[in-house]
Amino acid sequence: MPTVQAHDLRCAGRVVARYVCDPQLPATVSPRPYLHPVTTLAGTTVTGFMPADHRHHLGASIAVPALNEANFWGGRTYLTGRGPTALDNHGRQQHDRWLHRSGDRLEQELTWTRRDGTPLARERRALTVRGLTDDAWLLQVDYTLRSATGDDLTIDSPAARGRTGAGYGGFFWRAPTGPDQIRAFGQRTDADVHGSRAPWVVLSGDAWTLIFLAGSPAADPWFVRADDYAGVCAAIAWDRPLLIAAGEVFARRLRVVIADGPPTRATIAAAEAWT
């Protein structure tokens, strides 16, 4: 049976996200399944795909800068003492099979492979869509990682290698590039949310709002950009490597509220009910 290339997710009778499960992309972007376009219920696109400033940003996806030295983020690899370096080490997240597929839920198994196709990790991923309010819906992302070889897995970030503040890696959402005035804040609007462990983070444009809700079993620090570009990541290797021991299963859950219009107290209250 041929591989299904993409699947639409629906809420309130309309398509709100396209999940591309087996993309045909250059090796330098670390090919991986992604969500794009993702839209509000009114149809405003809230993901950015391969923008000029970062060609390896693929809508909303699970991506890490280094897993056992293989790059699953795309672009250059940050090396201690050398900085960003172009290497031929880009991995691929390969779709293996569907476990469930419907209009509001997808569940699949994937293999993370090195550039040469050697398996490194096995993943189980689920995407679930729920209606929230008349102008907002919720996406839940669950994923688990375990070794495919019986060896330990080590996930690194540039921050873990000495680049302070660059602790990205995990579920990453790239917002669209455009003329919007972008805002990012948490419970305290006067505090820098980048690097915080706030229970939720708001990223908003002129006509849309995204509310990222802290995951489980523990709240990871937030990697947040709102100036040079707009994006949010629940960072799993913020300032030190993440070790997944052989035989261990690493699990995360994250929820995102996608809403029309600027952030309102009602939308934030509806989101808080899910924390």
Side-chain angles (χ1 to χ4, degrees):
M1 185 174 180
T3 300
V4 175
Q5 299 296 312
H7 186 90
D8 290 339
L9 288 164
R10 296 175 176 272
C11 183
R14 62 156 295 144
V15 174
V16 291
R18 168 154 286 195
Y19 182 63
V20 180
C21 66
D22 193 13
Q24 302 302 309
L25 294 169
T28 53
V29 303
S30 299
R32 57 194 182 273
Y34 61 85
L35 288 156
H36 178 78
V38 179
T39 73
T40 66
L41 290 175
T44 300
T45 297
V46 291
T47 46
F49 180 74
M50 295 186 73
D53 53 68
H54 291 81
R55 298 293 291 171
H56 50 279
H57 288 180
L58 308 181
S61 68
I62 297 170
V64 299
L67 186 152
N68 288 21
E69 301 304 322
N71 183 332
F72 289 93
W73 181 267
R76 295 177 292 176
T77 299
Y78 191 91
L79 300 179
T80 303
R82 291 179 59 184
T85 305
L87 299 175
D88 186 20
N89 67 336
H90 296 91
R92 171 183 286 272
Q93 295 173 17
Q94 180 67 52
H95 168 78
D96 290 335
R97 67 180 180 127
W98 294 109
L99 301 174
H100 178 87
R101 190 170 40 163
S102 62
D104 61 0
R105 180 173 170 81
L106 300 175
E107 189 171 359
Q108 67 177 153
E109 290 180 343
L110 308 99
T111 300
W112 293 38
T113 70
R114 294 187 185 273
R115 181 78 169 85
D116 64 3
T118 304
L120 275 176
R122 307 289 185 193
E123 183 194 349
R124 185 164 179 165
R125 181 181 305 182
L127 307 174
T128 306
V129 168
R130 295 187 177 93
L132 193 62
T133 67
D134 289 341
D135 57 7
W137 62 279
L138 181 139
L139 172 70
Q140 179 172 298
V141 179
D142 294 274
Y143 68 99
T144 64
L145 279 173
R146 59 182 175 85
S147 174
T149 64
D151 297 326
D152 294 346
L153 298 176
T154 300
I155 294 176
D156 254 334
S157 69
R161 298 182 173 191
R163 185 182 172 191
T164 303
Y168 50 83
F171 181 70
F172 173 65
W173 191 296
R174 171 61 196 253
T177 300
D180 284 26
Q181 178 75 31
I182 303 295
R183 297 181 61 213
F185 61 90
Q187 286 182 307
R188 289 185 54 197
T189 57
D190 60 340
D192 185 2
V193 74
H194 179 68
S196 77
R197 296 178 183 269
W200 48 263
V201 167
V202 171
L203 189 71
S204 68
D206 296 337
W208 52 268
T209 294
L210 301 172
I211 305 175
F212 298 84
L213 306 172
S216 63
D220 296 310
W222 296 108
F223 174 89
V224 181
R225 287 287 184 267
D227 296 328
D228 49 344
Y229 66 84
V232 173
C233 180
I236 60 177
W238 173 251
D239 57 4
R240 65 191 65 184
L242 168 70
L243 175 67
I244 305 174
E248 180 182 345
V249 177
F250 173 80
R252 281 295 183 269
R253 168 175 289 173
L254 189 81
R255 298 183 177 105
V256 186
V257 173
I258 297 96
D260 283 292
T264 65
R265 289 185 179 180
T267 306
I268 292 173
E272 284 185 310
W274 287 89
T275 59

